[in-house]
């Protein structure tokens, strides 16, 4: 016989699962926020190739640079090939292939950079063992201060590690994390610190099954991270426990740029295996920035 408390928990759990319907969600940045920049991934420039029998276009070079090589470890080889990142049907598609572990990484560094605001992207994620998609922000303080990571700061709006590297169905879990230099606001001394948490789909479905809005709100006092209407991460950046305070990386002394990519392998997701499904796609409907 269930106790009353157990019954209440069961009712709340069922309500949470049944009430979660991401297909009906429309993103609203909130009172006081205005759209200051967006990429709706329209066709720009000339046709760069044919994919699935239809014309494919390169990402808008006014907004994004395609990074190449092996960046941040892992097995992936980022390329500027149209097959790894292309625009089609008003969507950006980033593709990771088994052959050569090629993939795509788009960065707005030097092109589109912002200080404070809400950063949001509607994304359908890839899945499978060893696949590591991410949507994230990095501070750019090089020209003015000659600072680099982690002093410049990093906001991981979304990371997902595919498969069951740690014995759980990781394709159901989104991770939000913030990184900074916990030793100083310069490059010496240097100690990387991070704070993060995670969110799991209420119904146990794969994130891949849904096109969701992954967002962060960065203000002068707080960083929040969420999915659709759910806020699952909050950090008061004026008084971080066991940290130097204040942390200049979050005070607005320099802007942040945006990155979208699919990494492959590495210590966290582990390597692909014979159960990994290829190729894998990260499909982005839009990216938007709002400010007050």
């Amino acid at each position: 016989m269930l106790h009353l408390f157990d019954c209440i928990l069961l009712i709340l759990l069922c309500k949470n699962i049944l009430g979660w319907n991401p297909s009906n969600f429309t993103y609203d940045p909130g009172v006081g926020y205005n759209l200051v920049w967006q990429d709706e991934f329209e066709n720009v420039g000339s046709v760069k190739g044919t994919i699935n029998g239809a014309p494919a276009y390169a990402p808008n070079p006014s907004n994004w640079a395609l990074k190449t090589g092996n960046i941040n470890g892992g097995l992936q080889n980022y390329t500027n090939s149209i097959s790894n990142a292309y625009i089609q049907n008003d969507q950006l598609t980033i593709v990771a292939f088994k052959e050569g572990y090629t993939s795509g990484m788009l960065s707005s560094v030097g092109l589109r950079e912002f200080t404070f605001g809400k950063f949001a992207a509607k994304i359908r994620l890839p899945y499978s063992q060893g696949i590591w998609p991410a949507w994230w922000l990095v501070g750019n303080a090089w020209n003015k201060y000659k600072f680099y990571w982690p002093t410049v700061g990093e906001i991981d709006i979304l990371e997902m590690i595919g498969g069951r590297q740690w014995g759980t169905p990781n394709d159901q879990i989104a991770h939000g994390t913030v990184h900074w230099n916990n030793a100083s606001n310069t490059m010496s001394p240097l100690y990387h610190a991070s704070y993060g948490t995670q969110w799991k789909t209420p119904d146990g479905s794969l994130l891949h099954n849904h096109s969701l809005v992954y967002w962060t709100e960065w203000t002068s006092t707080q960083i929040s991270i969420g999915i659709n209407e759910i806020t699952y991460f909050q950090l008061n950046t004026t008084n971080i426990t066991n940290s130097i305070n204040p942390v200049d990386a979050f005070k607005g002394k320099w802007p942040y740029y945006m990155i979208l990519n699919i990494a492959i392998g590495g210590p966290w997701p582990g390597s692909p295996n014979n159960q990994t499904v290829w190729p894998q796609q990260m499909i982005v409907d839009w990216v938007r920035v709002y400010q007050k």
Side-chain angles (χ1 to χ4, degrees):
M1 183 175 179
L2 290 175
H3 295 290
L4 177 61
F5 180 71
D6 295 326
C7 290
I8 293 173
L9 284 178
L10 183 60
I11 292 170
L12 290 175
L13 177 62
C14 291
K15 181 179 179 181
N16 188 31
I17 294 174
L18 295 174
W20 188 63
N21 184 3
S23 63
N24 289 335
F25 177 76
T26 300
Y27 182 70
D28 182 351
V31 176
Y33 275 101
N34 299 301
L35 181 66
V36 296
W37 177 84
Q38 63 182 330
D39 195 336
E40 301 289 327
F41 299 113
E42 300 168 336
N43 299 338
V44 174
S46 60
V47 175
K48 299 298 183 181
T50 300
I51 297 176
N52 298 323
Y57 298 80
N60 190 334
S62 297
N63 296 332
W64 307 101
L66 290 166
K67 297 299 183 179
T68 60
N70 181 274
I71 300 172
N72 295 335
L75 302 172
Q76 74 285 334
N77 175 32
Y78 295 118
T79 82
N80 56 10
S81 169
I82 192 67
S83 62
N84 288 118
Y86 61 90
I87 306 298
Q88 206 173 66
N89 301 319
D90 296 325
Q91 292 176 318
L92 164 68
T93 300
I94 300 174
V95 187
F97 291 99
K98 180 179 181 180
E99 298 77 13
Y101 288 146
T102 62
S103 186
M105 171 183 275
L106 280 70
S107 170
S108 73
V109 62
L111 299 170
R112 305 295 180 181
E113 301 180 346
F114 302 91
T115 304
F116 300 138
K118 282 194 171 181
F119 301 75
K122 188 175 184 183
I123 305 172
R124 183 180 296 273
L125 293 175
Y127 68 101
S128 213
Q129 173 59 40
I131 304 300
W132 185 2
W135 152 230
W136 45 306
L137 311 177
V138 179
N140 187 357
W142 180 251
N143 290 337
K144 188 172 183 179
Y145 298 102
K146 296 298 184 281
F147 294 163
Y148 49 87
W149 192 92
T151 301
V152 294
E154 175 181 329
I155 303 172
D156 297 329
I157 305 171
L158 159 74
E159 292 180 285
M160 188 218 70
I161 54 172
R164 290 178 172 267
Q165 170 74 344
W166 305 105
T168 58
N170 297 319
D171 304 272
Q172 304 171 3
I173 300 171
H175 299 263
T177 311
V178 170
H179 302 260
W180 70 98
N181 179 3
N182 196 27
S184 73
N185 283 310
T186 66
M187 293 308 301
S188 180
L190 191 67
Y191 180 79
H192 167 225
S194 64
Y195 171 75
T197 188
Q198 62 185 40
W199 178 85
K200 183 178 179 181
T201 56
D203 59 358
S205 59
L206 302 185
L207 292 167
H208 167 75
N209 293 348
H210 313 284
S211 183
L212 303 173
V213 178
Y214 300 90
W215 58 268
T216 188
E217 181 180 24
W218 169 33
T219 73
S220 60
T221 59
Q222 183 168 275
I223 295 173
S224 303
I225 298 175
I227 299 174
N228 282 16
E229 74 278 14
I230 301 162
T231 302
Y232 72 92
F233 173 108
Q234 288 185 315
L235 177 65
N236 181 342
T237 56
T238 65
N239 187 22
I240 303 175
T241 304
N242 298 321
S243 174
I244 62 165
N245 285 289
V247 177
D248 282 356
F250 307 134
K251 288 175 59 180
K253 294 186 70 173
W254 49 77
Y256 278 53
Y257 60 92
M258 302 168 283
I259 302 176
L260 292 157
N261 69 286
I262 303 177
I264 303 171
W268 192 22
S271 298
N273 58 24
N274 58 9
Q275 295 182 336
T276 303
V277 178
W278 298 100
Q280 284 293 326
Q281 296 183 337
M282 180 178 182
I283 301 174
V284 187
D285 288 354
W286 46 258
V287 177
R288 297 171 184 166
V289 179
Y290 304 85
Q291 291 180 326
K292 290 187 176 180

